[in-house]
Amino acid sequence: MAAEEFDWAGLQARATEAMRHAYAPYSRYRVGAAAVVDDGRVVAGCNVENAAYGVTLCAECGLVGDLHMTGGGLLTHFVCVDGDGAVIMPCGRCRQLLWENGGAALHVMTPLGVRPMTEVLPQAFGPDDLAKGEGPV
C-alpha cells in the first residue's frame, strides 16, 4: 500500500495508545511506537526507563521485540509519538533498528511528513554490508 493511501491517523492512534503504557519515572518523557508488518499485523512498543540510564529501552526496541515475538516479517509503515501524541523522530540507534527490520522500503511518518527509510537513515549500514559466506567468526 502506498504511503499516501495509508491510514496514518489510525497508526498514530495506536502509537499513542502504546505510549500510555510507557514507564518513564525519571525523564517523564513517554514514547509510543506502532508499525504495520508486511502481513498486515500491527506491532507496538513503549519506552521503559531504568535507573541505570544506559539500559533504558526505547519504544522502538519494544516494537521490534513484538515484531519477532508475533512471527517476524518486515515493517512497512512506522510512527512514534511523544507524551502528547505528537509525531517525533526515532533516535539514531532506533533508526538502525528500523532499517534492520523494515529496510529501504519502510515508510516513516516524521514531523515533516512521510519519508522513506532511505531519507530517515541515508547511506545506512545493513546486512548487505557484512561479509557473506565466511561462516561464524
Side-chain angles (χ1 to χ4, degrees):
M1 174 179 299
E4 53 277 350
E5 300 170 6
F6 184 73
D7 177 16
W8 287 104
L11 192 61
Q12 186 173 349
R14 182 63 182 94
T16 300
E17 178 185 329
M19 172 273 299
R20 292 188 181 111
H21 298 279
Y23 177 73
Y26 310 108
S27 72
R28 304 211 189 306
Y29 190 74
R30 298 178 306 153
V31 177
V36 174
V37 184
D38 57 359
D39 64 5
R41 279 176 295 135
V42 175
V43 292
C46 62
N47 61 320
V48 178
E49 291 183 346
N50 190 286
Y53 294 135
V55 295
T56 290
L57 299 175
C58 296
E60 296 86 343
C61 294
L63 181 146
V64 167
D66 192 22
L67 169 70
H68 290 285
M69 282 182 20
T70 60
L74 287 175
L75 303 174
T76 62
H77 298 77
F78 171 86
V79 64
C80 61
V81 300
D82 66 14
D84 295 322
V87 174
I88 58 174
M89 286 298 291
C91 71
R93 176 183 122 175
C94 290
R95 292 177 197 199
Q96 183 66 40
L97 277 173
L98 293 172
W99 183 273
E100 184 82 12
N101 291 280
L106 176 59
H107 297 286
V108 178
M109 175 56 77
T110 78
L112 298 177
V114 178
R115 300 290 191 263
M117 199 60 207
T118 54
E119 289 182 27
V120 174
L121 188 63
Q123 300 183 41
F125 182 88
D128 292 341
D129 296 302
L130 300 175
K132 305 263 188 218
E134 295 182 14
V137 177

